[in-house]
Amino acid sequence: MAHFGSTADFRAAARRRLPPFLFHYIDGGAYDEVTLRRNVADLAEVALRQRVLKDVSSLSLATELFGQRQRLPFGLGPVGLSGMYARRGEVAAARAATAAGVPVCLSTLGVCSLEEVVRGCGAPVWFQLYVLRDRGYTRAMIERARAVGCSALVFTVDLAVPGTRWRDANSGLSGPFSGARRLAQAIAHPRWAWDVGLLGRPHSLGNILRDGAGGGLGDYIGWITENLDPSISWKDLEFLRTEWNGPLILKGILDVEDAREAVALGADGIVVSNHGGRQLDGVSSTARALPRIADAVGDDLTLLADGGVRTGLDVLRMLALGAKSVLLGRAWAYALAAGGGSGVARLLGILEAELRTAMALTGVTDVTAVDRSALDLEDRGARATGRD
């Protein structure tokens, strides 16, 4: 793994190591995956200004989010079922993130419980919740997050109903005979089956099924279907501000009017995101939506972004488009699947080195000062900035 030099290397290794139903769960998106591809392509088209003869001998990559200093302007976003990619995967990833000085956001639908992750990494984490029918359950989860000292609550708002993901049915994650198909795939991947399937037990969803009772992929699909609340509205979210007195972040904002609603709610931050192209296909990429939202509400709350980030150069692009920090998704999931916690640590080191190079060659010495002056608005890539 020491020879891995890019997210693409980790992706290729993850594809070899994981049973197909798990790889395609990470890798896939909704419908024809148009938005998934747009996230990557539009971000890659964002052109930066190359600047020369600047003193770039000293670079600062540190920033502050919600009163907490972080060493790098990116962190690990929530990814469900991470404990199936490597043995006790959420714990392994959180340890790597903590060692790198960046935040990690634990998904409600993780294999390892919130309590296990906090014990394992020895540091506060962010916790992500979904829009749920049972407000009592939501309040109980918030109390658990408070009890273990979570430093931020991230509420995902773009999952009122599950997205239509054709790959999940084709790969065996869902659909007819899915259990038998997953078993056959596990047998065909003995390294994963031994390390994760056997040594990585229990496989229950630690935050929704306590003490290792029940759980598994069947419960994951069923739980999502039964508990998401399509009737929820902005007014229904007002209870969050009374239940949670720490930083509140809404994840899944892609429209300017929704961003303004988040400000009115009193959110401390939003994640400009289309769920990695896994919900509504055909919508705008994050790179195109971010500048519009930054113009509308950027001074009223903290903007984060995810979607299509594969390199340190992409991190700089997102910062130039208006984000204060970036949440990684597929990139760290690939790394975890390829090499466990060591893989995540290696990826974070690669992204840091790439970001340093990008900063030096654009004449930027402090990530907190990055803005649209770093963009080449005359280049065709400026289309993603909304300024064409």
Side-chain angles (χ1 to χ4, degrees):
M1 192 175 60
H3 64 281
F4 285 11
S6 69
T7 297
D9 292 335
F10 288 107
R11 180 182 181 273
R15 184 165 199 159
R16 292 191 298 269
R17 185 171 188 270
L18 291 177
F21 72 89
L22 281 177
F23 173 77
H24 289 294
Y25 175 75
I26 299 172
D27 199 60
Y31 293 95
D32 284 316
E33 303 182 350
V34 172
T35 297
L36 188 159
R37 293 190 295 273
R38 281 179 181 169
N39 277 346
V40 176
D42 287 354
L43 189 56
E45 282 199 351
V46 174
L48 298 167
R49 296 173 65 195
Q50 178 174 297
R51 303 299 307 279
V52 299
L53 298 179
K54 303 281 187 178
D55 182 358
V56 292
S57 58
S58 179
L59 303 178
S60 174
L61 278 65
T63 189
E64 184 176 295
L65 284 181
F66 312 110
Q68 300 292 317
R69 178 180 172 81
Q70 63 178 73
R71 199 176 68 83
L72 301 168
F74 51 85
L76 308 188
V79 177
L81 296 182
S82 301
M84 300 298 292
Y85 312 152
R87 191 194 313 173
R88 312 314 287 168
E90 289 92 0
V91 175
R95 284 175 177 160
T98 299
V102 301
V104 57
C105 183
L106 181 67
S107 171
T108 294
L109 297 177
V111 170
C112 302
S113 70
L114 176 59
E115 292 82 1
E116 181 184 352
V117 174
V118 171
R119 286 196 306 269
C121 71
V125 300
W126 297 2
F127 187 59
Q128 175 261 344
L129 278 174
Y130 290 103
V131 176
L132 303 177
R133 297 178 187 273
D134 186 346
R135 302 295 188 270
Y137 174 83
T138 302
R139 289 185 173 92
M141 292 300 297
I142 291 173
E143 180 53 41
R144 286 176 64 185
R146 184 183 297 112
V148 299
C150 286
S151 55
L153 185 70
V154 178
F155 208 77
T156 294
V157 294
D158 61 352
L159 201 72
V161 296
T164 299
R165 301 169 191 168
W166 292 338
R167 275 215 235 181
D168 287 352
N170 292 334
S171 70
L173 182 66
S174 61
F177 311 109
S178 57
R181 294 172 67 190
R182 293 195 298 266
L183 177 60
Q185 292 176 25
I187 293 171
H189 291 75
R191 180 183 170 194
W192 175 89
W194 173 256
D195 185 48
V196 182
L198 293 177
L199 300 182
R201 292 181 179 275
H203 295 151
S204 60
L205 301 175
N207 293 315
I208 63 175
L209 296 169
R210 305 299 298 274
D211 303 320
L217 293 175
D219 289 291
Y220 171 80
I221 301 298
W223 190 91
I224 288 178
T225 302
E226 294 171 6
N227 286 277
L228 296 179
D229 186 358
S231 72
I232 199 162
S233 67
W234 286 100
K235 185 174 179 57
D236 294 316
L237 296 186
E238 292 176 359
F239 80 97
L240 289 174
R241 282 284 51 160
T242 59
E243 295 290 331
W244 178 259
N245 58 6
L248 175 64
I249 306 162
L250 301 187
K251 180 179 181 295
I253 302 294
L254 203 64
D255 185 88
V256 167
E257 291 306 312
D258 288 337
R260 291 187 175 122
E261 291 278 9
V263 173
L265 177 72
D268 299 286
I270 61 175
V271 183
V272 180
S273 170
N274 52 41
H275 215 103
R278 294 168 63 80
Q279 282 297 98
L280 179 61
D281 199 22
V283 298
S284 174
S285 67
T286 299
R288 288 183 180 270
L290 178 56
R292 297 192 291 266
I293 292 174
D295 287 341
V297 302
D299 294 331
D300 299 321
L301 40 61
T302 299
L303 292 183
L304 297 91
D306 68 23
V309 176
R310 302 291 186 268
T311 67
L313 181 60
D314 289 338
V315 172
L316 185 60
R317 287 171 168 140
M318 283 291 202
L319 299 180
L321 292 174
K324 181 75 176 290
S325 187
V326 172
L327 294 181
L328 307 173
R330 287 182 177 86
W332 79 261
Y334 295 143
L336 180 68
S342 297
V344 176
R346 171 69 177 160
L347 172 74
L348 294 176
I350 290 171
L351 296 184
E352 177 181 357
E354 291 174 341
L355 178 57
R356 286 184 178 278
T357 299
M359 289 173 61
L361 295 178
T362 53
V364 176
T365 59
D366 188 338
V367 293
T368 64
V370 177
D371 57 24
R372 286 186 204 166
S373 65
L375 298 173
D376 183 353
L377 297 179
E378 300 302 317
D379 189 278
R380 67 187 181 93
R383 290 179 304 180
T385 70
R387 295 297 183 89
D388 59 327

